[in-house]
Amino acid sequence: MTESFAANRLQSSGAYALELDGVARHFGALVALSGINMRIAAGERRAVLGSNGAGKTTLFNAVTGDFLPTSGRIRFFGEDITDLPPHERIRRGLRRTYQISQLFKGLSVLDSIFLACRGVSRRRFSLLRPAITDVNMVQAESILNAVHLEAYRDTLVATLSHGQQRQLEIALALAGAPRFILFDEPAAGLSPTERRDLVAILNALPKHIGYIIIEHDLDVALRVSEYVSMMHNGRLFKEGTPQEIEADPEVQEIYLGGKHG
Amino acid sequence: MSLAIATNVTPQQNWLERLGAGHIILAVALVLYPLVASDFFLTQIGGYSLIFGMLGLSLMLLAGYGGMVSLAQITVAGIAAYAIAILGSNNSNVLGFGWPWWLAVPFALLSAALASALIGWISVRTEGIYTIMITLAIATATYYFAQQNYAIFNGHSGYAGIRAPAFWGIGWRDARPFYYLCLGLAVLSYAAVLYGSRSTFGMTLQAIRDNPRRMRALGYHVTAHKVFAWALAGIIAGLAGVLLVWFNGRVSPGTIGVDAAIDVLIIAVIGGLRHPIGPFLGAVVVVLMQTFAIDIVGAERFNTLIGMVFLVIVFVSPDGILGLWGRIKPHLAQESLRPGQ
Ligand SMILES: Nc1ncnc2c1ncn2[C@@H]1O[C@H](COP(=O)(O)OP(=O)(O)O)[C@@H](O)[C@H]1O
Ligand SMILES: [Mg+2]
């Protein structure tokens, strides 16, 4: 498998949103990620499953540059982004959410989303107050509505409930014309209603926006993705449609145990 | 932020209401202060409080909005002060280009902004207590360098004989004009910081304080934003430095010593870092104490007294005097500050 990817290395093209070749990440002696080869077509929606500590979040950190990979190359729409700092990757259309919400507790909900829109546009250093009619403010308002937080427009982020904070996490990733999004367990800790909202939001995304979603619940994964990758001990060990994965005996044994069998 | 002034802004308010009762009362009191104050109270108390309030404000901008606590604000002010001495005229026969004030001041502010940006660029890799340590190291190093360098800083004696400008028929070092000059520049700095806190850049700074990692994941070059904040803070500290050297007529390494650096931190913390008015409140308290407490308790015990007041205020209210004010404010608001119907 590694060899075939190595052979294909030079054939990369813009048709892939994301290409990972031999990506590894070590924390001291701990190998959190090793030999990850992955190709995701533009607009593809992929679920990544795996037990806790499998290396899923580390994979996201390597792609966004939060932590650089120890070895391997990463291409985004054909461009090698392995050595780019995080903000440069984001400006190329990559977005992410965090498993543990990373928000601005001293800002209002609308201002947070506004900053998310402004981050990939111009006038990031403007010393003027943004007008209500500012293009990024208008975008922020419409994202606010899309994630159903309009009632909390001027609320301080620190006072939001867990579910609302998770929605804001998603809002921040939707801002500013994303091309590809990494969702890190967006459904964790959500109520059934909030989960339904989440599935609706994901399914309502424009078709050209691809994503990877880390999701423990195979039923949720089935409804928001066409393809599933399984991770275990820092390696990708199986790929297939949700139905194939659910039926695979090896997957049953390693990951799902008796839960789904 | 719960504050007595300029809160609850709604679109239907007119500009007078939006300014807030607190701001209007304060402004009127400050403008009328010279009618009751002696020259000593105008300059040694009024002018000094405003100057040190501006130094505290430059720290508040970095610490309150940016989460970066600096001990090098007096160093930056000192660089502006030295620039005024060197670019303008002095009687030390070392350097002195004799530039007019309107040319020297912009260059002094520019040097302060650049020096501050450089200090920021060096220290933004650090966080929390380490930022305090590295800026203290920079402040100390600058102090010793100024003391030992004769070619530029004229060693331990520094520069004397620096004159404040005189124009429009006014000598700006005279008590009243100097007080109004300090007041004008302090109000300008205060208003700029207050307005800027809600600007795009102000919001990015507060967001970086709260979560730099997320700001990177939104496309922001976090280091560049921090360094820009240092440059802006440097302009305010530089303005304070210009006023300081005009007032004292001299600048020497003593101006930028470690004790002065710590004074600025104490002023900002005593006053409160959550709102730009805080450092000015802190400055009034510290300047009053420095002026009068020495007579009462003596010079040796004076630092003990300052230290104790500092401890008590931080202990009772982590948000400084502003925090105390916030606690009594609910009663005040009900009784007198409520807008009439
Ligand atoms: N910053 C870090 N320092 C040290 N070890 C880490 C760090 N981040 C993750 N790990 C380790 O890497 C492994 C994979 O973690 P992670 O990617 O968070 O797993 P998952 O998201 O699949 O639950 C775990 O053993 C975890 O303890
Ligand atoms: Mg994880």
Side-chain angles (χ1 to χ4, degrees), chain B residues 292-310:
Chain B
F292 297 110
I294 287 186
D295 298 336
I296 300 167
V297 299
E300 284 108 79
R301 299 217 195 104
F302 173 68
N303 282 329
T304 320
L305 184 73
I306 283 259
M308 276 167 60
V309 169
F310 182 76

Side-chain angles (χ1 to χ4, degrees), chain B residues 309-334:
Chain B
V309 169
F310 182 76
L311 278 181
V312 167
I313 289 191
V314 171
F315 204 70
V316 174
S317 162
D319 281 328
I321 298 172
L322 273 182
L324 293 175
W325 187 358
R327 267 184 241 178
I328 45 174
K329 180 207 135 200
H331 316 288
L332 286 178
Q334 275 160 7

Side-chain angles (χ1 to χ4, degrees), chain A residues 61 66-67 86-87 90-91 95-98 102-107 111-112 114-116 118-120 123-130 169 172, chain B residues 1 194-222 224-226 228 232:
Chain A
N61 285 334
D66 282 42
F67 300 119
H87 66 269
I90 301 305
R91 290 179 194 176
R95 298 287 185 283
R96 75 170 295 177
T97 71
Y98 288 88
Q102 304 282 335
L103 302 171
F104 313 118
K105 58 180 172 27
L107 264 60
D111 288 346
S112 299
F114 165 75
L115 285 184
R118 184 52 63 92
V120 289
R123 291 183 290 139
R124 281 181 289 263
F125 287 89
S126 170
L127 291 172
L128 299 178
R129 294 185 176 185
E169 266 290 323
L172 296 186
Chain B
M1 276 182 223
L194 197 59
Y195 173 86
S197 68
R198 305 280 310 129
S199 71
T200 295
F201 180 73
M203 285 193 274
T204 67
L205 195 57
Q206 292 163 73
I208 286 170
R209 171 199 64 198
D210 287 352
N211 200 327
R213 184 180 181 192
R214 168 59 97 171
M215 279 301 268
R216 280 186 204 103
L218 293 181
Y220 288 91
H221 192 312
V222 165
H225 280 252
K226 284 184 169 181
F228 188 49
L232 294 177

Side-chain angles (χ1 to χ4, degrees), chain A residues 52-53 55-58 99 184-185 214 216:
Chain A
N52 270 330
K56 307 180 296 295
T57 299
T58 306
Q99 182 173 358
D184 198 342
E185 304 200 23
I214 297 175
H216 280 299

Side-chain angles (χ1 to χ4, degrees), chain B residues 100-164:
Chain B
W101 70 269
W102 47 264
L103 200 56
V105 169
F107 272 89
L109 296 184
L110 185 67
S111 357
L114 290 177
S116 185
L118 180 67
I119 296 170
W121 185 72
I122 294 169
S123 60
V124 286
R125 283 138 234 275
T126 60
E127 267 180 30
I129 188 84
Y130 297 103
T131 311
I132 302 182
M133 306 273 283
I134 199 162
T135 51
L136 176 62
I138 292 168
T140 313
T142 313
Y143 168 76
Y144 281 111
F145 182 76
Q147 202 166 43
Q148 281 151 23
N149 178 286
Y150 283 83
I152 303 170
F153 291 93
N154 196 26
H156 70 270
S157 50
Y159 293 96
I162 301 140
R163 290 174 174 281

Side-chain angles (χ1 to χ4, degrees), chain B residues 241-296:
Chain B
V242 171
L243 291 173
L244 202 62
V245 74
W246 281 350
F247 179 66
N248 290 330
R250 47 176 288 117
V251 54
S252 69
T255 317
I256 58 171
V258 171
D259 40 354
I262 291 173
D263 279 349
V264 176
L265 182 65
I266 287 180
I267 282 171
V269 174
I270 285 185
L273 288 167
R274 289 180 53 173
H275 190 280
I277 198 72
F280 290 98
L281 298 176
V284 171
V285 170
V286 170
V287 167
L288 279 177
M289 281 178 59
Q290 279 184 337
T291 313
F292 297 110
I294 287 186
D295 298 336
I296 300 167

Side-chain angles (χ1 to χ4, degrees), chain B residues 65-84:
Chain B
Y65 295 132
M68 301 173 281
V69 180
S70 160
L71 271 174
Q73 297 316 102
I74 191 75
T75 309
V76 174
I79 285 167
Y82 271 106
I84 289 290

